[in-house]
Amino acid sequence: MEFRDNKAIYLQIAEYVCEHILLGKWKADEKVPSVRELAVELEVNPNTVMRTYELLQNKDILSNKRGIGFFIAEQAVKNVKNYRKVQFMDEELPVFFRSLYLLEIGFEELQNRYQSFVKETFTNP
Amino acid sequence: MIQIDNLNFGYKKDKLLFNNMSMKLSPGHIYGLLGKNGAGKSSLLKNMAGLVYAQSGSLSVMGFDPAKRQPGLLAQICFIPEELYLPSVKIDSYVKANAPFYKDFDHAYLSTLLAEFDIPANNKLVNMSYGQKKKFVIAFGLATQAKFIIMDEPTNGLDIPSKAQFRKIMASALTEERVIIISTHQVRDLDNLIDTIIILDDSKVALHASIDQITDKLCFKNIRNLDETVIYSEPSLSGYNALLPNYHQEDSRLDIELLFNAVITDKEKLKPIFN
Amino acid sequence: MNNIFNIGRFGLLLKRQWVEFGKIYLISLFVVAGLLVAFYAFNIPSNENLPMFDNGRLRLQFRLPLFIILGFLFISIVSSGYYAVLGQKARSIIELMTPASTFEKFLAGVLFTGVLTIFCFILIFSVTDIMFMNYMEKTLTFPHFNDPVMGTFKSASIVSFYTEISKDNVFPYFYAVPFLVTSVFLLGSIYFNTFHYIKTAISVMVFISVLSYFTYKVGSWIHELYPVTGGGYHASKNNALTYILIGSILITLIFWITTYFRLKEKEA
């Protein structure tokens, strides 16, 4: 995994986990890789992965079954979406808005683009 | 687990490399030891292993005084020196001769590590390249199950795939009872592996803080314009890579090189933030 | 866990040291054996040319110098290599970090140089000597004499080197000398970082010259102060030899103790 420069590693790992959940690679009630396994895979300090897992546990995305390990929480997908939504609104949207404003892109143009994007990407067979 | 108090050390009596240095290392962490050339990184590591003797001060490693070189402690230390010289024997005879000193030596783990590092087990140690020797010593050292792992520039001489393997191996080597300390100039090699940073400068510990503590107090950002809040900055393609106080509780990614340069050039500005 | 001496750990250390030094050791031993055989073969007398007899024995004069010179070279060279690796920083770290106590590492050094080396040399020398003695017994023909009193006897007999030399009463007084040689070269191997052998040899020579010079000076000074009148005092031969024995044992012990402390203080 390539880490980006501008965001704390533990948050980038959280995104990575969330991505897996949203894409359905990791499903509800399944066990996620142990802290050590994921640390080895991503070549990071296990304490960093631990911090990620604790964060996701707080967001009810993961649940910690003592002595067994971390599992995907029942409501994980919903909670991931909430979590990501907040993040998107807080972090990505301001940048996006800034570009809209600077480049003078109207909402109408944007809407058309958005609709065709959804059609092309998500409604294909 | 490792406690250093008021350590005074120098190779010459009148020129001290460490002046009243104190430090504490706890298990479950990978410490990154940074410093300019000649700041004494290797010397500090050697002091911890009892390979050199300090003029004064106290050093306690797992309850032992390392200067006594007692087998009980030596069996718990894995020291990977920067320069290596191995005897001209085959790997398995080296292992046979040295492994029995470590009562928890894990032969299966050694084989796994050697396989991961691509080192054939019947190689002669002297005929191996520097990088291969280094990988062998790392593999052997980790297989001893030592609790205190000291590595002096471990990624020097490793090729690109080996560096990735090294990071994976170190990530799995960190356990709750282990202290790992790694000195390095190649911070990029170990960026995400280190969880606590120790910077030596001017015969003192200039900074000793965990990455969480650092990113809690400091923000690493790419900005367009400099202002008075900036603690330290370096020009980049799109403005400046800057170090700022973390006023808005941002979770930025620690840029070790930037932090290091900031500490070396402007220690005074950073001091109030961490105290 | 005993941090000073543990017999099991000491055994492991000896094994470990053997893995590193054994090969060089055996090669040196092989060279020594080769040289011995060559010397004996070259110096074997032939029937036409039997050397002079000495006390009714065949005279093989080359044996004593061969024993002393070759023995000295072998034990000193091996000893001066033992701690040599500690002179190279890169290599000394691995040695110093080996989980055995300083005392055990020191004792291993003494055992390998002072005991094993001397023992091996004596063994190899004896074996070669006895082999050649047997060979000569078989191949050489000695004239027989008829003596009215003694009966028939051979003109000469062959005795092994050790039998010959141990008949000499002086020999036992030098028993400690080989240990002295190994101890000084062992100390040299840890005291100097490079060129251990030559530096040790030069130091010993300088030390002995200085010592002799001072002894001479002090002697003549005492002589001037207290001029000897009459016969003076002569130490008996045995007295002087006893001093040599005690002196060599003491100096050997001092060198060994110094070596232990050098090893303890050695930094990497």
Side-chain angles (χ1 to χ4, degrees), chain B residues 46 49 51-53 64 69-72 74-75 77 79 81 83-89 94 97-98 100-102 124, chain C residues 1 3 9 12-13 16 19-20 23 88-91 93-94 96-102 104-105 263-268:
Chain B
K46 284 182 178 175
L51 287 167
V52 293
Y53 300 129
F64 289 90
R69 294 183 184 159
Q70 289 165 316
L74 293 175
I77 299 182
F79 190 100
E83 274 177 68
L84 301 165
Y85 186 93
L86 293 169
S88 64
V89 295
Y94 181 90
N98 289 282
F101 286 100
Y102 306 90
K124 256 202 165 188
Chain C
M1 178 191 258
N3 276 310
R9 198 170 54 216
L12 289 178
L13 183 67
R16 176 191 186 274
V19 168
E20 280 191 35
K23 205 181 287 165
Q88 302 159 259
K89 281 205 167 168
R91 192 153 175 194
I93 291 178
I94 292 182
L96 294 177
M97 294 306 294
T98 300
S101 70
T102 308
E104 289 159 346
K105 288 172 186 172
L263 185 62
K264 220 176 138 139
E265 286 159 13
K266 193 83 192 173
E267 299 191 356

Short mmCIF file of all heavy atoms in Angstrom, two decimals, chain B residues 46 49 51-53 64 69-72 74-75 77 79 81 83-89 94 97-98 100-102 124, chain C residues 1 3 9 12-13 16 19-20 23 88-91 93-94 96-102 104-105 263-268:
data_model
loop_
_atom_site.label_atom_id
_atom_site.label_comp_id
_atom_site.label_asym_id
_atom_site.label_seq_id
_atom_site.Cartn_x
_atom_site.Cartn_y
_atom_site.Cartn_z
N LYS B 46 26.09 1.33 21.70
CA LYS B 46 27.15 0.50 22.28
C LYS B 46 27.15 0.61 23.80
O LYS B 46 27.45 -0.37 24.49
CB LYS B 46 28.51 0.90 21.72
CG LYS B 46 28.71 0.38 20.31
CD LYS B 46 30.07 0.75 19.79
CE LYS B 46 30.28 0.18 18.39
NZ LYS B 46 31.56 0.64 17.83
N ALA B 49 24.62 -1.68 25.13
CA ALA B 49 24.97 -3.10 25.02
C ALA B 49 26.18 -3.45 25.87
O ALA B 49 26.57 -4.60 25.93
CB ALA B 49 25.23 -3.45 23.56
N LEU B 51 29.22 -2.43 25.26
CA LEU B 51 30.41 -2.60 24.42
C LEU B 51 31.43 -1.51 24.67
O LEU B 51 32.61 -1.66 24.36
CB LEU B 51 30.01 -2.61 22.94
CG LEU B 51 29.31 -3.88 22.47
CD1 LEU B 51 28.67 -3.67 21.13
CD2 LEU B 51 30.31 -5.02 22.41
N VAL B 52 30.98 -0.38 25.21
CA VAL B 52 31.90 0.68 25.61
C VAL B 52 31.51 1.11 27.02
O VAL B 52 30.40 0.83 27.48
CB VAL B 52 31.86 1.90 24.65
CG1 VAL B 52 32.39 1.54 23.29
CG2 VAL B 52 30.45 2.46 24.54
N TYR B 53 32.42 1.78 27.68
CA TYR B 53 32.18 2.15 29.07
C TYR B 53 32.07 3.66 29.22
O TYR B 53 32.90 4.41 28.72
CB TYR B 53 33.31 1.63 29.96
CG TYR B 53 33.46 0.12 29.91
CD1 TYR B 53 34.69 -0.47 29.67
CD2 TYR B 53 32.35 -0.69 30.09
CE1 TYR B 53 34.82 -1.85 29.63
CE2 TYR B 53 32.47 -2.07 30.06
CZ TYR B 53 33.70 -2.64 29.83
OH TYR B 53 33.84 -4.01 29.80
N PHE B 64 20.07 -5.19 34.65
CA PHE B 64 21.51 -5.47 34.64
C PHE B 64 22.28 -4.19 34.37
O PHE B 64 21.77 -3.26 33.75
CB PHE B 64 21.86 -6.45 33.50
CG PHE B 64 21.39 -7.85 33.71
CD1 PHE B 64 20.14 -8.26 33.27
CD2 PHE B 64 22.22 -8.78 34.30
CE1 PHE B 64 19.72 -9.56 33.42
CE2 PHE B 64 21.81 -10.10 34.46
CZ PHE B 64 20.56 -10.49 34.03
N ARG B 69 28.81 -7.04 31.44
CA ARG B 69 28.80 -8.08 30.39
C ARG B 69 28.43 -9.46 30.95
O ARG B 69 29.14 -10.44 30.73
CB ARG B 69 30.15 -8.16 29.71
CG ARG B 69 30.46 -6.91 28.93
CD ARG B 69 31.76 -7.01 28.20
NE ARG B 69 32.06 -5.75 27.53
CZ ARG B 69 33.25 -5.37 27.15
NH1 ARG B 69 34.28 -6.15 27.35
NH2 ARG B 69 33.44 -4.22 26.56
N GLN B 70 27.33 -9.50 31.67
CA GLN B 70 26.93 -10.78 32.23
C GLN B 70 26.15 -11.60 31.21
O GLN B 70 25.32 -11.04 30.47
CB GLN B 70 26.08 -10.54 33.48
CG GLN B 70 26.93 -10.00 34.62
CD GLN B 70 26.11 -9.42 35.73
OE1 GLN B 70 25.16 -8.69 35.49
NE2 GLN B 70 26.46 -9.74 36.95
N PRO B 71 26.41 -12.89 31.17
CA PRO B 71 25.75 -13.73 30.17
C PRO B 71 24.22 -13.63 30.24
O PRO B 71 23.55 -13.70 29.21
CB PRO B 71 26.20 -15.14 30.53
CG PRO B 71 27.36 -14.99 31.43
CD PRO B 71 27.34 -13.63 32.01
N GLY B 72 23.68 -13.45 31.46
CA GLY B 72 22.24 -13.34 31.60
C GLY B 72 21.66 -12.20 30.79
O GLY B 72 20.55 -12.28 30.27
N LEU B 74 23.55 -10.64 28.16
CA LEU B 74 24.01 -10.80 26.78
C LEU B 74 23.06 -11.70 25.99
O LEU B 74 22.83 -11.48 24.80
CB LEU B 74 25.42 -11.37 26.76
CG LEU B 74 26.52 -10.44 27.32
CD1 LEU B 74 27.86 -11.16 27.37
CD2 LEU B 74 26.64 -9.18 26.48
N ALA B 75 22.49 -12.70 26.66
CA ALA B 75 21.58 -13.61 25.97
C ALA B 75 20.25 -12.93 25.65
O ALA B 75 19.46 -13.47 24.88
CB ALA B 75 21.34 -14.86 26.82
N ILE B 77 20.16 -9.69 24.54
CA ILE B 77 20.40 -8.57 23.64
C ILE B 77 20.74 -9.09 22.25
O ILE B 77 21.54 -10.01 22.10
CB ILE B 77 21.57 -7.68 24.13
CG1 ILE B 77 21.25 -7.09 25.50
CG2 ILE B 77 21.84 -6.56 23.14
CD1 ILE B 77 22.32 -6.17 26.03
N PHE B 79 22.32 -7.46 19.03
CA PHE B 79 22.98 -6.24 18.56
C PHE B 79 23.37 -6.43 17.10
O PHE B 79 24.14 -7.32 16.77
CB PHE B 79 24.22 -5.98 19.42
CG PHE B 79 24.85 -4.63 19.19
CD1 PHE B 79 24.61 -3.59 20.08
CD2 PHE B 79 25.67 -4.39 18.09
CE1 PHE B 79 25.18 -2.34 19.88
CE2 PHE B 79 26.23 -3.14 17.89
CZ PHE B 79 25.99 -2.12 18.79
N PRO B 81 25.35 -4.72 14.40
CA PRO B 81 26.25 -3.58 14.15
C PRO B 81 26.17 -3.13 12.70
O PRO B 81 25.68 -3.86 11.83
CB PRO B 81 27.63 -4.16 14.46
CG PRO B 81 27.50 -5.62 14.31
CD PRO B 81 26.06 -5.99 14.48
N GLU B 83 28.79 -2.37 10.74
CA GLU B 83 29.76 -3.13 9.96
C GLU B 83 29.83 -4.54 10.52
O GLU B 83 29.81 -4.73 11.73
CB GLU B 83 31.14 -2.50 10.09
CG GLU B 83 31.38 -1.40 9.10
CD GLU B 83 32.73 -0.79 9.33
OE1 GLU B 83 33.72 -1.49 9.09
OE2 GLU B 83 32.79 0.35 9.78
N LEU B 84 29.94 -5.49 9.62
CA LEU B 84 29.91 -6.87 10.08
C LEU B 84 31.14 -7.59 9.61
O LEU B 84 31.67 -7.34 8.54
CB LEU B 84 28.72 -7.60 9.47
CG LEU B 84 27.34 -7.06 9.75
CD1 LEU B 84 26.40 -7.70 8.78
CD2 LEU B 84 26.97 -7.39 11.16
N TYR B 85 31.58 -8.49 10.43
CA TYR B 85 32.60 -9.41 9.98
C TYR B 85 32.25 -10.76 10.57
O TYR B 85 32.16 -10.91 11.77
CB TYR B 85 33.98 -8.97 10.42
CG TYR B 85 35.05 -9.82 9.83
CD1 TYR B 85 35.68 -9.45 8.64
CD2 TYR B 85 35.42 -11.00 10.44
CE1 TYR B 85 36.63 -10.27 8.07
CE2 TYR B 85 36.38 -11.82 9.88
CZ TYR B 85 36.98 -11.44 8.70
OH TYR B 85 37.92 -12.26 8.13
N LEU B 86 32.01 -11.72 9.71
CA LEU B 86 31.60 -13.02 10.21
C LEU B 86 32.70 -14.04 9.94
O LEU B 86 33.46 -13.91 8.99
CB LEU B 86 30.31 -13.45 9.51
CG LEU B 86 29.09 -12.59 9.86
CD1 LEU B 86 27.94 -12.92 8.93
CD2 LEU B 86 28.70 -12.81 11.30
N PRO B 87 32.79 -15.05 10.78
CA PRO B 87 33.82 -16.07 10.59
C PRO B 87 33.57 -16.86 9.31
O PRO B 87 32.46 -16.87 8.78
CB PRO B 87 33.66 -16.97 11.82
CG PRO B 87 32.29 -16.72 12.32
CD PRO B 87 31.95 -15.32 11.95
N SER B 88 34.63 -17.52 8.83
CA SER B 88 34.50 -18.21 7.54
C SER B 88 33.98 -19.62 7.76
O SER B 88 34.68 -20.58 7.52
CB SER B 88 35.84 -18.24 6.83
OG SER B 88 36.75 -18.99 7.58
N VAL B 89 32.75 -19.69 8.22
CA VAL B 89 32.12 -21.00 8.38
C VAL B 89 30.79 -20.99 7.65
O VAL B 89 30.30 -19.95 7.23
CB VAL B 89 31.90 -21.34 9.87
CG1 VAL B 89 33.22 -21.48 10.59
CG2 VAL B 89 31.04 -20.29 10.53
N TYR B 94 27.68 -22.13 11.97
CA TYR B 94 27.60 -20.92 12.81
C TYR B 94 26.41 -21.03 13.76
O TYR B 94 26.52 -20.77 14.95
CB TYR B 94 27.46 -19.67 11.92
CG TYR B 94 27.40 -18.38 12.72
CD1 TYR B 94 28.57 -17.68 13.03
CD2 TYR B 94 26.20 -17.85 13.16
CE1 TYR B 94 28.54 -16.51 13.76
CE2 TYR B 94 26.15 -16.67 13.90
CZ TYR B 94 27.33 -16.01 14.19
OH TYR B 94 27.27 -14.86 14.92
N ALA B 97 26.95 -23.52 16.51
CA ALA B 97 27.90 -23.09 17.54
C ALA B 97 27.34 -21.98 18.42
O ALA B 97 27.69 -21.88 19.58
CB ALA B 97 29.20 -22.62 16.87
N ASN B 98 26.48 -21.15 17.85
CA ASN B 98 26.04 -19.97 18.60
C ASN B 98 24.63 -20.04 19.18
O ASN B 98 24.37 -19.44 20.22
CB ASN B 98 26.17 -18.72 17.72
CG ASN B 98 27.62 -18.34 17.49
OD1 ASN B 98 28.26 -17.76 18.36
ND2 ASN B 98 28.15 -18.73 16.34
N PRO B 100 22.97 -22.39 20.78
CA PRO B 100 22.72 -22.99 22.11
C PRO B 100 22.89 -22.02 23.28
O PRO B 100 22.42 -22.29 24.38
CB PRO B 100 23.76 -24.11 22.21
CG PRO B 100 24.15 -24.41 20.81
CD PRO B 100 24.01 -23.14 20.05
N PHE B 101 23.56 -20.88 23.05
CA PHE B 101 23.70 -19.91 24.13
C PHE B 101 22.36 -19.27 24.49
O PHE B 101 22.21 -18.69 25.55
CB PHE B 101 24.67 -18.79 23.72
CG PHE B 101 26.10 -19.21 23.72
CD1 PHE B 101 26.75 -19.56 22.54
CD2 PHE B 101 26.81 -19.28 24.91
CE1 PHE B 101 28.07 -19.93 22.53
CE2 PHE B 101 28.15 -19.65 24.91
CZ PHE B 101 28.77 -19.99 23.73
N TYR B 102 21.41 -19.33 23.54
CA TYR B 102 20.11 -18.68 23.76
C TYR B 102 19.08 -19.77 24.02
O TYR B 102 18.81 -20.58 23.13
CB TYR B 102 19.74 -17.85 22.52
CG TYR B 102 20.82 -16.87 22.13
CD1 TYR B 102 21.83 -17.23 21.24
CD2 TYR B 102 20.85 -15.59 22.68
CE1 TYR B 102 22.84 -16.35 20.91
CE2 TYR B 102 21.86 -14.70 22.35
CZ TYR B 102 22.84 -15.09 21.46
OH TYR B 102 23.84 -14.20 21.14
N LYS B 124 28.41 -20.20 2.68
CA LYS B 124 29.50 -19.85 3.60
C LYS B 124 29.37 -18.37 3.93
O LYS B 124 29.15 -17.54 3.04
CB LYS B 124 30.85 -20.11 2.93
CG LYS B 124 31.50 -21.34 3.46
CD LYS B 124 33.00 -21.31 3.22
CE LYS B 124 33.64 -22.37 4.08
NZ LYS B 124 35.08 -22.31 4.06
N MET C 1 20.78 -17.89 37.28
CA MET C 1 21.86 -18.16 36.33
C MET C 1 23.18 -17.61 36.86
O MET C 1 23.25 -16.47 37.30
CB MET C 1 21.53 -17.48 35.00
CG MET C 1 22.60 -17.65 33.95
SD MET C 1 22.30 -16.57 32.55
CE MET C 1 21.61 -17.69 31.38
N ASN C 3 26.44 -15.92 36.61
CA ASN C 3 26.97 -15.02 35.60
C ASN C 3 28.49 -14.99 35.54
O ASN C 3 29.07 -14.22 34.80
CB ASN C 3 26.43 -13.61 35.83
CG ASN C 3 25.07 -13.46 35.20
OD1 ASN C 3 24.88 -13.81 34.04
ND2 ASN C 3 24.10 -12.98 35.95
N ARG C 9 27.80 -23.72 29.97
CA ARG C 9 28.02 -22.59 29.06
C ARG C 9 29.47 -22.55 28.60
O ARG C 9 29.77 -22.25 27.46
CB ARG C 9 27.66 -21.31 29.81
CG ARG C 9 27.42 -20.12 28.94
CD ARG C 9 26.84 -19.00 29.76
NE ARG C 9 27.68 -18.70 30.91
CZ ARG C 9 27.22 -18.34 32.10
NH1 ARG C 9 25.93 -18.20 32.29
NH2 ARG C 9 28.04 -18.10 33.09
N LEU C 12 29.88 -24.88 25.84
CA LEU C 12 29.36 -24.30 24.61
C LEU C 12 30.36 -23.32 24.01
O LEU C 12 30.57 -23.27 22.80
CB LEU C 12 28.05 -23.55 24.88
CG LEU C 12 26.82 -24.38 25.22
CD1 LEU C 12 25.64 -23.46 25.49
CD2 LEU C 12 26.50 -25.30 24.05
N LEU C 13 30.99 -22.55 24.90
CA LEU C 13 31.96 -21.56 24.43
C LEU C 13 33.15 -22.24 23.78
O LEU C 13 33.60 -21.84 22.70
CB LEU C 13 32.41 -20.67 25.60
CG LEU C 13 33.37 -19.54 25.22
CD1 LEU C 13 32.67 -18.52 24.34
CD2 LEU C 13 33.95 -18.86 26.44
N ARG C 16 32.12 -23.36 20.45
CA ARG C 16 32.00 -22.21 19.55
C ARG C 16 33.38 -21.75 19.10
O ARG C 16 33.59 -21.49 17.90
CB ARG C 16 31.28 -21.07 20.26
CG ARG C 16 31.21 -19.81 19.42
CD ARG C 16 30.74 -18.62 20.25
NE ARG C 16 30.55 -17.47 19.38
CZ ARG C 16 31.52 -16.64 19.05
NH1 ARG C 16 32.74 -16.81 19.49
NH2 ARG C 16 31.27 -15.62 18.23
N VAL C 19 34.89 -23.98 16.51
CA VAL C 19 34.36 -23.79 15.16
C VAL C 19 35.12 -22.68 14.45
O VAL C 19 35.44 -22.76 13.27
CB VAL C 19 32.85 -23.47 15.21
CG1 VAL C 19 32.35 -22.99 13.86
CG2 VAL C 19 32.07 -24.68 15.66
N GLU C 20 35.46 -21.63 15.21
CA GLU C 20 36.15 -20.51 14.57
C GLU C 20 37.64 -20.75 14.40
O GLU C 20 38.22 -20.41 13.38
CB GLU C 20 35.92 -19.23 15.37
CG GLU C 20 34.57 -18.63 15.08
CD GLU C 20 34.43 -17.24 15.65
OE1 GLU C 20 35.42 -16.49 15.66
OE2 GLU C 20 33.31 -16.90 16.08
N LYS C 23 39.91 -24.71 12.59
CA LYS C 23 40.47 -24.98 11.27
C LYS C 23 41.91 -24.47 11.18
O LYS C 23 42.81 -25.19 10.75
CB LYS C 23 39.59 -24.31 10.22
CG LYS C 23 39.69 -24.99 8.87
CD LYS C 23 38.83 -24.30 7.83
CE LYS C 23 37.36 -24.54 8.04
NZ LYS C 23 36.55 -23.60 7.26
N GLN C 88 39.77 -5.96 15.69
CA GLN C 88 38.93 -5.39 14.62
C GLN C 88 37.56 -5.10 15.22
O GLN C 88 36.86 -6.02 15.64
CB GLN C 88 38.74 -6.41 13.49
CG GLN C 88 40.01 -6.89 12.86
CD GLN C 88 39.75 -8.22 12.17
OE1 GLN C 88 40.05 -9.28 12.68
NE2 GLN C 88 39.14 -8.16 10.99
N LYS C 89 37.19 -3.81 15.21
CA LYS C 89 35.94 -3.43 15.86
C LYS C 89 34.75 -4.23 15.35
O LYS C 89 33.95 -4.74 16.13
CB LYS C 89 35.68 -1.94 15.63
CG LYS C 89 36.52 -1.15 16.58
CD LYS C 89 35.94 0.20 16.87
CE LYS C 89 36.71 0.70 18.05
NZ LYS C 89 36.66 1.97 18.49
N ALA C 90 34.66 -4.33 14.02
CA ALA C 90 33.50 -4.97 13.43
C ALA C 90 33.36 -6.39 13.95
O ALA C 90 32.26 -6.88 14.19
CB ALA C 90 33.61 -4.97 11.91
N ARG C 91 34.49 -7.05 14.12
CA ARG C 91 34.43 -8.44 14.52
C ARG C 91 34.31 -8.60 16.03
O ARG C 91 33.71 -9.56 16.53
CB ARG C 91 35.67 -9.15 14.01
CG ARG C 91 35.49 -10.62 14.13
CD ARG C 91 36.29 -11.38 13.14
NE ARG C 91 36.12 -12.79 13.44
CZ ARG C 91 36.86 -13.73 12.94
NH1 ARG C 91 37.83 -13.42 12.12
NH2 ARG C 91 36.64 -14.98 13.26
N ILE C 93 32.61 -6.98 18.13
CA ILE C 93 31.25 -6.85 18.68
C ILE C 93 30.61 -8.23 18.83
O ILE C 93 30.09 -8.57 19.89
CB ILE C 93 30.39 -5.95 17.77
CG1 ILE C 93 30.90 -4.51 17.86
CG2 ILE C 93 28.92 -6.02 18.17
CD1 ILE C 93 30.17 -3.52 16.98
N ILE C 94 30.71 -9.03 17.77
CA ILE C 94 30.09 -10.35 17.82
C ILE C 94 30.73 -11.20 18.92
O ILE C 94 30.05 -11.94 19.63
CB ILE C 94 30.18 -11.03 16.45
CG1 ILE C 94 29.27 -10.26 15.48
CG2 ILE C 94 29.79 -12.49 16.52
CD1 ILE C 94 29.20 -10.83 14.10
N LEU C 96 32.29 -10.05 21.71
CA LEU C 96 31.96 -9.54 23.05
C LEU C 96 30.50 -9.78 23.40
O LEU C 96 30.16 -9.91 24.57
CB LEU C 96 32.28 -8.03 23.14
CG LEU C 96 33.75 -7.66 23.03
CD1 LEU C 96 33.94 -6.15 23.07
CD2 LEU C 96 34.56 -8.30 24.15
N MET C 97 29.63 -9.83 22.39
CA MET C 97 28.21 -10.02 22.66
C MET C 97 27.85 -11.51 22.84
O MET C 97 26.71 -11.83 23.14
CB MET C 97 27.35 -9.43 21.54
CG MET C 97 27.40 -7.91 21.38
SD MET C 97 27.02 -6.97 22.86
CE MET C 97 25.31 -7.37 23.13
N THR C 98 28.77 -12.39 22.61
CA THR C 98 28.48 -13.82 22.82
C THR C 98 28.15 -14.04 24.29
O THR C 98 28.92 -13.64 25.16
CB THR C 98 29.71 -14.66 22.42
OG1 THR C 98 29.99 -14.42 21.05
CG2 THR C 98 29.44 -16.14 22.62
N PRO C 99 27.00 -14.64 24.57
CA PRO C 99 26.55 -14.74 25.96
C PRO C 99 27.35 -15.72 26.81
O PRO C 99 26.86 -16.77 27.20
CB PRO C 99 25.10 -15.20 25.84
CG PRO C 99 24.73 -14.99 24.43
CD PRO C 99 25.98 -15.12 23.64
N ALA C 100 28.58 -15.37 27.09
CA ALA C 100 29.38 -16.11 28.05
C ALA C 100 30.08 -15.04 28.88
O ALA C 100 30.23 -13.92 28.44
CB ALA C 100 30.40 -17.00 27.35
N SER C 101 30.51 -15.41 30.09
CA SER C 101 31.10 -14.38 30.95
C SER C 101 32.53 -14.09 30.51
O SER C 101 33.16 -14.88 29.79
CB SER C 101 31.11 -14.86 32.39
OG SER C 101 32.03 -15.91 32.53
N THR C 102 33.03 -12.94 30.93
CA THR C 102 34.41 -12.57 30.59
C THR C 102 35.37 -13.63 31.11
O THR C 102 36.34 -13.99 30.45
CB THR C 102 34.75 -11.21 31.22
OG1 THR C 102 33.73 -10.29 30.84
CG2 THR C 102 36.08 -10.70 30.74
N GLU C 104 34.81 -16.79 31.52
CA GLU C 104 34.77 -17.98 30.65
C GLU C 104 35.52 -17.73 29.34
O GLU C 104 36.23 -18.61 28.84
CB GLU C 104 33.31 -18.35 30.35
CG GLU C 104 32.57 -18.92 31.55
CD GLU C 104 31.07 -18.81 31.43
OE1 GLU C 104 30.56 -18.07 30.56
OE2 GLU C 104 30.38 -19.45 32.23
N LYS C 105 35.36 -16.52 28.80
CA LYS C 105 36.06 -16.21 27.56
C LYS C 105 37.57 -16.21 27.78
O LYS C 105 38.33 -16.63 26.91
CB LYS C 105 35.59 -14.86 27.02
CG LYS C 105 34.17 -14.92 26.46
CD LYS C 105 33.63 -13.55 26.10
CE LYS C 105 32.16 -13.66 25.69
NZ LYS C 105 31.53 -12.36 25.52
N LEU C 263 40.79 -8.09 28.74
CA LEU C 263 39.58 -8.61 28.09
C LEU C 263 38.35 -7.94 28.69
O LEU C 263 37.41 -7.59 27.99
CB LEU C 263 39.52 -10.12 28.30
CG LEU C 263 38.39 -10.88 27.61
CD1 LEU C 263 38.50 -10.72 26.10
CD2 LEU C 263 38.43 -12.35 27.97
N LYS C 264 38.39 -7.75 30.00
CA LYS C 264 37.27 -7.11 30.69
C LYS C 264 37.09 -5.66 30.22
O LYS C 264 35.97 -5.16 30.10
CB LYS C 264 37.58 -7.13 32.19
CG LYS C 264 36.38 -7.44 33.03
CD LYS C 264 36.79 -7.55 34.48
CE LYS C 264 35.72 -6.83 35.21
NZ LYS C 264 35.19 -7.25 36.36
N GLU C 265 38.23 -5.01 29.99
CA GLU C 265 38.17 -3.59 29.63
C GLU C 265 38.00 -3.36 28.14
O GLU C 265 37.76 -2.23 27.72
CB GLU C 265 39.49 -2.91 30.06
CG GLU C 265 39.59 -2.69 31.54
CD GLU C 265 41.04 -2.52 31.97
OE1 GLU C 265 41.91 -2.32 31.10
OE2 GLU C 265 41.29 -2.60 33.18
N LYS C 266 38.18 -4.40 27.36
CA LYS C 266 38.14 -4.23 25.90
C LYS C 266 36.84 -3.59 25.45
O LYS C 266 35.76 -4.03 25.81
CB LYS C 266 38.30 -5.60 25.24
CG LYS C 266 38.59 -5.53 23.76
CD LYS C 266 40.04 -5.29 23.53
CE LYS C 266 40.32 -4.93 22.08
NZ LYS C 266 41.71 -4.54 21.89
N GLU C 267 36.95 -2.53 24.66
CA GLU C 267 35.74 -1.89 24.14
C GLU C 267 35.64 -2.16 22.65
O GLU C 267 36.60 -2.54 22.02
CB GLU C 267 35.78 -0.38 24.41
CG GLU C 267 35.85 -0.07 25.90
CD GLU C 267 35.63 1.40 26.21
OE1 GLU C 267 35.49 2.20 25.26
OE2 GLU C 267 35.58 1.74 27.39
N ALA C 268 34.46 -1.95 22.11
CA ALA C 268 34.28 -2.18 20.68
C ALA C 268 33.81 -0.91 20.00
O ALA C 268 33.13 -0.11 20.60
CB ALA C 268 33.27 -3.27 20.44
#
